[in-house]
Amino acid sequence: MTSDDDAALPDPLRSLLRELHLLAPDRLAERIAVHAGSLGFRETVIYLVDYEQILLQPLRGEGVPERQELSVEGSVAGRCFRTVQTLRTRAPAGGHRLWVPLLDGVERLGVVEVLAERWSGELEETAKAYVSLVAEVLVVNDAYTDIFSRLRRRKTLSLAAEIQWELLPPMTFATDRVVISGALEPAYDIGGDSFDYAVNGPTADVLVLDAVGHGLPASLLASAAIGAYRHARREMRDLPDISAAVNRVVAENFTGSQFATAAIVRLDLDTGRLRWVNAGHPELLVLREGAFVRPPACRPHPPLGLQASKPDVCEMQLHPGDRVLIHSDGIVEARSVEGEFFGEERLADFVIRAGAAGDAAPETLRRLMRQVLEHQGDQLQDDASIVVLEWLTGTPQQLLP
């Protein structure tokens, strides 16, 4: 093939982008594999992680090789997902198999398997670039198809859980100044626990909410509370006013027996100044340089829906690298068969050891939730939620491949 012929070949990335405008979502796996072939990849398979982050499920399509689901804990693909590192293995029939993390920013969506006849560093970089584009394509298409959310469920979601998952922001977000990562269980039956966050310039806002009760009533209360929180936050109100706005919505639209505990948190990314309102919620935990640091005493106020006045604001100065744990009581009050609570000390110790082992926040929380479930015999009696807010002064490289 002459150099003129090479110049005449269509660019696979540009060609895929043009095709996407009118491409039906059920053909994505097929067309992504076809265009990957023009980049030198013989086979391309997308795997999405399920809601519990236990299994990687292959996205099927015409002409896409058949694959089985893969374990996050017990496979090369799972190790790629857990460590957010590109891995290479030899294919049984010859060639090289690359496993590339599928990321939306730093949010772990799954992995992509590509098979190539020969390996080179340049080819690996091409695969990473292509997979980055694939992630953006999937996120955009997820807004108007059920294909991906169906694939991610190993069992039926309750209606309450369906509402909550649609309400959540991405489970992980990061910049060079902050990492925010959250987790919820039981994934398929979550009811009243939820969280939200936003990063606006030098400010990171986080809400962790625990609506009283279970099922649909708790989910509806949580939805209304988070809507009120977002509205007040976007009106650029201070924390006491945000709390008062959410309290008013809950009090005026739900009965006296329905309320929500919450931690409403704001971090100044330039200075590390942490401010928060405690609305009947468990105290924040702060981990610093491998040790547990208890924040200054902070008077808790009544839950949202039961407050009679604006709450006080608590403050603490963070150090670079501090991890703030904001959790619901479903974490620490998870009780074993013998009646032993999971407890604050076990929670702090787990996160400290995970940090010492080099685990980033998303993987730490994934493993933590497995530990909490195991502690309670895989049957949580209450919703459990947690958000880790980490203040940084440099890019969190462990979150990137």
Side-chain angles (χ1 to χ4, degrees):
M1 184 176 288
T2 67
S3 58
D4 288 340
D5 291 329
D6 289 337
L9 286 174
D11 177 81
L13 301 183
R14 188 179 299 122
S15 178
L16 174 60
L17 286 171
R18 282 198 301 267
E19 187 175 355
L20 286 174
H21 292 288
L22 295 175
L23 185 63
D26 61 346
R27 296 192 63 204
L28 276 175
E30 168 205 343
R31 300 311 300 166
I32 285 169
V34 167
H35 289 282
S38 301
L39 293 169
F41 303 117
R42 194 169 72 211
E43 296 179 355
T44 301
V45 182
I46 300 165
Y47 297 80
L48 299 180
V49 72
D50 79 302
Y51 284 101
E52 287 183 303
Q53 298 189 337
I54 290 175
L55 293 174
L56 293 160
Q57 307 277 15
L59 182 61
R60 307 188 192 283
E62 185 177 344
V64 177
E66 285 291 324
R67 294 290 191 270
Q68 300 298 315
E69 62 186 26
L70 298 172
S71 168
V72 169
E73 290 292 346
S75 67
V76 175
R79 183 154 62 93
C80 168
F81 178 84
R82 297 193 314 270
T83 62
V84 200
Q85 297 296 318
T86 298
L87 302 176
R88 177 169 56 97
T89 58
R90 295 288 299 185
H96 296 265
R97 182 171 281 118
L98 291 178
W99 301 94
V100 185
L102 183 65
L103 302 173
D104 173 29
V106 296
E107 165 77 345
R108 301 181 299 177
L109 306 178
V111 301
V112 175
E113 170 195 359
V114 294
L115 187 64
E117 294 294 341
R118 296 178 178 82
W119 177 86
S120 67
E122 182 180 354
L123 189 68
E124 183 172 319
E125 291 304 313
T126 298
K128 290 180 182 179
Y130 190 66
V131 169
S132 293
L133 174 60
V134 169
E136 298 301 320
V137 169
L138 292 173
V139 170
V140 170
N141 276 264
D142 192 40
Y144 41 79
T145 185
D146 293 328
I147 291 172
F148 310 134
S149 58
R150 286 174 182 166
L151 182 65
R152 293 185 59 212
R153 57 191 72 190
R154 296 188 302 114
K155 51 189 176 184
T156 302
L157 284 173
S158 68
L159 177 56
E162 191 82 58
I163 292 171
Q164 290 290 46
W165 279 105
E166 289 300 312
L167 192 66
L168 288 170
M171 302 300 278
T172 301
F173 170 84
T175 69
D176 61 344
R177 308 305 304 277
V178 67
V179 176
I180 303 171
S181 190
L184 294 168
E185 286 290 350
Y188 291 93
D189 200 29
I190 195 78
D193 277 22
S194 194
F195 67 86
D196 193 43
Y197 64 82
V199 177
N200 299 304
T203 301
D205 281 286
V206 177
L207 168 74
V208 176
L209 183 94
D210 181 0
V212 68
H214 300 280
L216 189 57
S219 179
L220 294 177
L221 192 157
S223 298
I226 287 181
Y229 167 72
R230 289 174 176 169
H231 181 260
R233 187 188 70 210
R234 290 165 183 169
E235 291 288 320
M236 302 179 67
R237 300 183 191 179
D238 199 10
L239 296 183
D241 296 307
I242 291 175
S243 179
V246 181
N247 178 75
R248 185 166 52 252
V249 166
V250 175
E252 292 177 355
N253 293 278
F254 298 88
T255 67
S257 62
Q258 291 182 282
F259 55 85
T261 70
I264 307 173
V265 181
R266 178 166 290 170
L267 173 62
D268 186 313
L269 301 179
D270 291 333
T271 66
R273 181 189 182 207
L274 184 74
R275 303 171 66 239
W276 72 97
V277 165
N278 183 337
H281 211 66
E283 291 185 2
L284 307 186
L285 299 177
V286 177
L287 303 180
R288 175 178 299 159
E289 297 179 352
F292 170 46
V293 177
R294 188 168 293 279
C298 176
R299 184 167 68 93
H301 287 263
L304 300 171
L306 303 179
Q307 294 178 357
S309 61
K310 289 183 183 179
D312 299 327
V313 176
C314 312
E315 293 191 17
M316 178 180 182
Q317 179 61 47
L318 297 185
H319 294 186
D322 279 0
R323 284 183 170 185
V324 182
L325 275 57
I326 314 162
H327 62 88
S328 70
D329 57 12
I331 297 279
V332 294
E333 293 182 5
R335 189 178 299 192
S336 68
V337 175
E338 295 78 19
E340 182 184 6
F341 287 120
F342 193 79
E344 277 189 0
E345 288 188 10
R346 197 189 310 263
L347 168 61
D349 182 64
F350 184 94
V351 177
I352 288 170
R353 286 188 289 106
D359 288 343
E363 180 59 17
T364 296
L365 295 190
R366 188 191 72 83
R367 292 180 53 235
L368 171 66
M369 285 308 197
R370 303 275 67 76
Q371 189 82 9
V372 172
L373 281 164
E374 181 180 322
H375 181 79
Q376 199 160 343
D378 289 327
Q379 196 70 276
L380 284 177
Q381 301 304 311
D382 190 13
D383 294 344
S385 59
I386 186 169
V387 170
V388 172
L389 174 64
E390 185 174 2
W391 184 48
L392 300 173
T393 54
T395 303
Q397 293 295 339
Q398 72 272 31
L399 292 171
L400 300 170

